[in-house]
Structures are given as structure tokens and as C-alpha cells.
Amino acid sequence: MTIISTKIKHYWPLIKSLQTGLLVLTGLTGFVSARCPVYNLTTILSVIGSLFFAVSGSTILNMVWDRDIDAKMNRTKHRPLPSGLIDPQQAWIVGLGISALGLLWAASLDLLFAGIVFAGLFFDVVVYTIWLKRKTAWSIVWGGISGGMPILAGRALGIGAIDEVGILFMFGILFWIPTHILTFSIKYAADYADADVPTFPSSYGVGATRIIISISSFIAAFSMLLSGVMMDLGAGYLRLILVLAAGLLGLAMSTIFTPSERINFGLFKYASLFMMTSMFVVILGAR
Amino acid sequence: MVNVNRVILLLVAALAGIEIVSGIEDCGTIPIAYYTFSYGIFLISALLMLLMGVDIIEHDVAALAVSTLPLGFSTGLVAAFMLEYHLAYSSLVSILYAGLIIQKFRHKDKSALVLQVLLHGLTGLVLFILPLVLIMQETVEMSYLGVSIGTGLVAIGGMALAFLKSGKPILTKDQIYTIFPGVLLLAVFAFSVGIGSR
């Protein structure tokens, strides 16, 4: 029992619980937004469970592959893999096993749903992590696309097809992710430089990165708002998303005109809050 | 920041959010837009203070944004109850506010201060007095007094911050930051009671 609890304690940081939780929430939001019979508890639990395993599995695989990078960065060198608390071979097996479990569970629900979840996993692990992350700063686009897959999958499960709203939702996440990652890469620029990982600040400068953050924030906010309009969310909920989006854009513009580390990291935190709150607004407003 | 203040700021954000979603539905299209704006300022300010600390309110951009709070509510009131003056009033406060922003960014502190006093004096008076007049005329219910009370509370918070910025604080910085979230919560509650009652 002690061994199991120690293992869980070591593996828990590998799944980045907050990030995984947010992605699972987006998937659930996509599903509920379809106004499907949400009171089917089994389906809801299956959506949550399959996405949780698939996202956690891909995050573990990402951590295993990037353990040499993590070892070079101050922020991440104490993680269980670079610090030697977990055997990489074992982590590979756990990551693959959990991913497979998530995909099988997803497939038991619906093949389209499972296909999109698989695409997300593939883009994250193979395209983003293994292929592009060490080569180009633009790898985050693929990270963004994979991040957009859970909400698209949830929506597709709800309505039985890929529709415009699902794609707009995906765009919302895709363009939110640069805001999330780039503010982080500005804060930890030295760490990324130590690990020789190309980032927007190191490739194009901090000023250009802030402009990109603002543009992507605008597109993310616009996508969320437009998807809300298209799914007939209700005026009150749309107003709320508009206000939250204005806050996101205001902060993004502040990082350009009055740049400071505090505002930059405030934007990082606010962006996560924006996405989480927007998801709850869609869940509450879906009719 | 003490945990109680975190909870209070969360409540401010939640209450402002609820008002935006369902508290102003029957106020008419134009007032809804203005009330959304002002409740939005409450909401965003509370979230930023929660994420970045109460002292973020001293940041130049945040201070300018928060100073629009009475603009939205007062213009919304004028649009709701004195529609014939709406265009003139909204033009006047917009010009004053644009002037304030320009002078702030040109670092013309004295003229910015004059514009700020004019702007907040005007909007504060409208927000404080108009509900009283409407109650006396029996146009609205007694609970509309919440708008005047909310205005008073925002004025107290605003003055405390203004004195702090001017270097002549009436309370210490810590005291102001400790009570500020509570003042915000009372203010947003008072506004929601007032505007929600009609």
C-alpha cells in the first residue's frame, strides 16, 4: 500500500493536474454545449474519465521525452523524472498504458470522439514534443491544436459530427494556448535558453512576442464569443464572456504599452482564469 | 493578502458576474450596455486584485480603467430615466474622460487632476442625486437608494486611493488595502440591490 501511494505521489506531478483538469473541463464543455442529454451520468463520467486518462497519458509521455530538457531548467529540474525519482522506462509504460486506456474508453463511447482524442494525443506527443519542440518556436501551434482537440471531441460526441461551433471552440483554445505558453516563456526565458529550446522571445524578441500574445488573445476571445453567439448562448452569458474577453485583451495590450514582469505573469494567470470561466459560462448557458 | 480578502474579491467577481448575466435583463438595451461596462469593471478589477494583489489598483492603466466605473453607471441611469439628455451627457463625460487620458499620458498632472475632479464630481453627483430624485418622484422603489449608497462607497474607496497616491494618506497603505475589497463588495452589492429593484 505504501509503495502504491508513493508511486502515485511521484506520478501525480507528471500529469500536470491543473493543465489536465482544464483540458478535461474543455472537453466536458464541448459535450454539454451540444445540449445533449447531459443528465446521462454514465456518459458524462466516461467523457471525463477517458479525457483524463488520454490527456494524463500524453502529458506523462511528454515529460519522459523532455526529461533531459527539464534537467537543464531551474524551474523543472526537481520534477520526478529528471531528479531520478521515477525510472523513465517505467514512465514510458505507464504513459502508454494510461493513454491506451483513455483511447479505449473513448472508443467505447464513440469512434469519432476517440479519433479526435487520438489526434490530440498524436499532435501533442509525436508532432509537438518529439518532432518540433526542439527545432522551432512555432511548435506551439501544434501544441495549441492538440490542446483544442478535447473540446472538439466533446462537441463532436454531443452532436455526432464536427460542426462550426466545435471548430470555433477549438480555435478558442488554439489561440489561447500561445497566450498561456508565451507569457510563461517570457518569464522563464533564461531557463529555456539554458535548455536550448527555441521560443518566441529567443527567436523573435520579447516585443514581437508581446504583439503575438495580443493578437492570439484577440482571436481566442473572438472565437469564444462567436461560438457563444452561434450556439445561441443567451445575451447575459454573452455579455459575461465579452467582459472577460475585454479583461484579457486589456491585459494583453498592457503588456505591450506598459510592459512589466508583474503584468506579464498576471496575464498568464488571467488567461487560465478566462478560459476556465468561459467554459463554466458555456456549461451554465447551454440550453 | 489575507484569505478573507481573497474570498471577498471572489464574491465581488461572482456578484458582478451574476448581475451581468441576469441582474440587468429588463433595464433596456442602452442602459444594459452601460451597466455591463461598470459591472465589468468591478469584475475585472476584483479578478486582477485576486491574481496580482490589491496594490495593482495603483497601476496607471488599472487606475484609469477603474475611474470609468461611475461613468458607466451614471450614463446608464441617464439613458434609463432621462433619455433626452443621454447624448449630451455621454458626449460630455466621454470628452472629459478622453481629455483625462491624454493629459495623464502627457504627464500633465495638474490639468489631469482638474479633469478628474470635474469628471468624478459630475458623474458622482448624477449617481448620488438622481436616484434620490427618482425615489421622491416615486418613479422607482425605495431600494433604488442602493445606487446612491454604492456611489458613496465607491467615492470613499476612490478618495482613500487618491489620498494615498498624492502622498497624504488618510489611512495607511496596509489599512486601505485591507478594507478595499470589503468596500468593493458592499458597493457592488448596493448597486445590484438598487439597479435590480427598479
Side-chain angles (χ1 to χ4, degrees):
Chain A
M1 202 63 190
T2 318
I3 295 172
I4 293 171
S5 66
T6 308
K7 287 278 180 202
I8 291 173
K9 200 176 151 192
H10 287 163
Y11 271 92
W12 188 253
L14 257 59
I15 69 164
K16 294 185 181 171
S17 52
L18 285 177
Q19 182 185 296
T20 298
L22 188 54
L23 287 173
V24 171
L25 175 66
T26 64
L28 183 66
T29 304
F31 178 62
V32 175
S33 74
R35 302 172 201 177
C36 48
V38 291
Y39 298 112
N40 186 334
L41 193 63
T42 313
T43 312
I44 285 186
L45 289 177
S46 295
V47 169
I48 294 171
S50 60
L51 285 174
F52 177 76
F53 283 126
V55 176
S56 298
S58 72
T59 309
I60 291 174
L61 294 174
N62 169 294
M63 287 270 206
V64 179
W65 186 263
D66 283 345
R67 65 188 186 282
D68 58 324
I69 293 176
D70 287 346
K72 293 176 189 164
M73 307 209 311
N74 272 331
R75 183 176 62 82
T76 54
K77 67 183 177 190
H78 299 297
R79 283 178 177 170
L81 276 160
S83 61
L85 285 170
I86 293 176
D87 173 35
Q89 202 80 8
Q90 191 187 62
W92 267 121
I93 295 166
V94 172
L96 284 171
I98 291 179
S99 301
L101 184 64
L103 287 173
L104 285 173
W105 196 349
S108 74
L109 277 176
D110 179 65
L111 283 180
L112 178 61
F113 176 68
I116 299 170
V117 173
F118 174 75
L121 207 149
F122 179 79
F123 289 143
D124 183 48
V125 177
V126 179
V127 180
Y128 169 67
T129 305
I130 297 176
W131 182 24
L132 294 176
K133 187 173 177 181
R134 294 160 198 248
K135 291 190 174 121
T136 169
W138 290 94
S139 61
I140 61 162
V141 173
W142 290 97
I145 291 172
S146 77
M149 289 297 131
I151 197 166
L152 182 64
R155 175 83 184 171
L157 177 67
I159 62 164
I162 293 174
D163 70 339
E164 300 86 351
V165 174
I167 290 170
L168 276 170
F169 275 150
M170 192 198 76
F171 269 95
I173 307 286
L174 164 61
F175 285 97
W176 162 78
I177 280 180
T179 305
H180 180 78
I181 292 181
L182 295 183
T183 47
F184 207 65
S185 61
I186 289 175
K187 183 174 171 67
Y188 293 104
D191 262 10
Y192 285 105
D194 288 344
D196 212 18
V197 175
T199 61
F200 270 81
S202 65
S203 303
Y204 304 102
V206 173
T209 304
R210 289 195 166 117
I211 292 170
I212 291 167
I213 289 172
S214 293
I215 294 169
S216 68
S217 298
F218 176 79
I219 299 174
F222 183 73
S223 302
M224 287 309 300
L225 203 57
L226 190 57
S227 55
V229 171
M230 288 179 71
M231 61 174 281
D232 193 20
L233 199 56
Y237 293 104
L238 286 174
R239 286 197 297 269
L240 186 52
I241 293 181
L242 186 67
V243 164
L244 292 166
L248 184 72
L249 292 179
L251 265 181
M253 298 306 282
S254 287
T255 63
I256 295 177
F257 295 110
T258 56
S260 71
E261 182 47 47
R262 191 179 186 198
I263 297 288
N264 178 60
F265 205 55
L267 174 59
F268 169 78
K269 291 193 267 190
Y270 184 88
S272 297
L273 194 66
F274 166 76
M275 193 44 72
M276 189 182 74
T277 316
S278 298
M279 294 299 117
F280 281 121
V281 170
V282 171
I283 287 174
L284 290 171
R287 290 179 287 186
Chain B
M1 194 194 319
V2 291
N3 282 337
V4 175
N5 274 350
R6 286 181 211 280
V7 174
I8 290 174
L9 287 171
L10 207 56
L11 287 174
V12 172
L15 189 52
I18 290 168
E19 286 305 304
I20 290 168
V21 172
S22 59
I24 50 179
E25 282 291 275
D26 56 353
C27 291
T29 309
I30 300 173
I32 282 177
Y34 289 117
Y35 297 153
T36 299
F37 179 84
S38 284
Y39 279 125
I41 296 289
F42 268 122
L43 173 63
I44 302 293
S45 312
L47 291 180
L48 292 185
M49 282 188 264
L50 195 63
L51 296 174
M52 297 159 78
V54 178
D55 61 327
I56 192 64
I57 211 73
E58 280 193 79
H59 188 279
D60 280 344
V61 177
L64 269 177
V66 170
S67 70
T68 60
L69 213 157
L71 270 68
F73 278 133
S74 69
T75 316
L77 275 193
V78 170
F81 298 103
M82 303 166 75
L83 191 56
E84 63 274 26
Y85 294 105
H86 168 241
L87 185 63
Y89 182 79
S90 58
S91 305
L92 179 61
V93 292
S94 300
I95 289 165
L96 285 173
Y97 189 65
L100 172 63
I101 292 174
I102 291 165
Q103 296 305 78
K104 277 262 183 190
F105 281 99
R106 290 174 69 205
H107 299 289
K108 304 276 186 190
D109 290 342
K110 276 195 173 172
S111 52
L113 184 65
V114 171
L115 286 167
Q116 196 161 12
V117 169
L118 275 174
L119 184 67
H120 287 160
L122 175 67
T123 54
L125 274 177
V126 168
L127 268 177
F128 193 78
I129 292 173
L130 187 55
L132 298 176
V133 173
L134 292 169
I135 289 167
M136 282 192 289
Q137 289 175 343
E138 296 182 354
T139 309
V140 293
E141 291 174 19
M142 190 66 186
S143 49
Y144 215 80
L145 195 62
V147 175
S148 300
I149 295 169
T151 306
L153 288 163
V154 168
I156 290 169
M159 277 196 289
L161 285 174
F163 279 117
L164 181 66
K165 275 203 123 178
S166 71
K168 298 166 189 165
I170 43 177
L171 294 168
T172 66
K173 201 174 197 171
D174 284 344
Q175 285 171 331
I176 292 171
Y177 290 162
T178 304
I179 62 164
F180 198 68
V183 173
L184 271 188
L185 180 61
L186 289 174
V188 74
F189 180 72
F191 275 114
S192 64
V193 168
I195 290 172
S197 69
R198 284 187 54 101

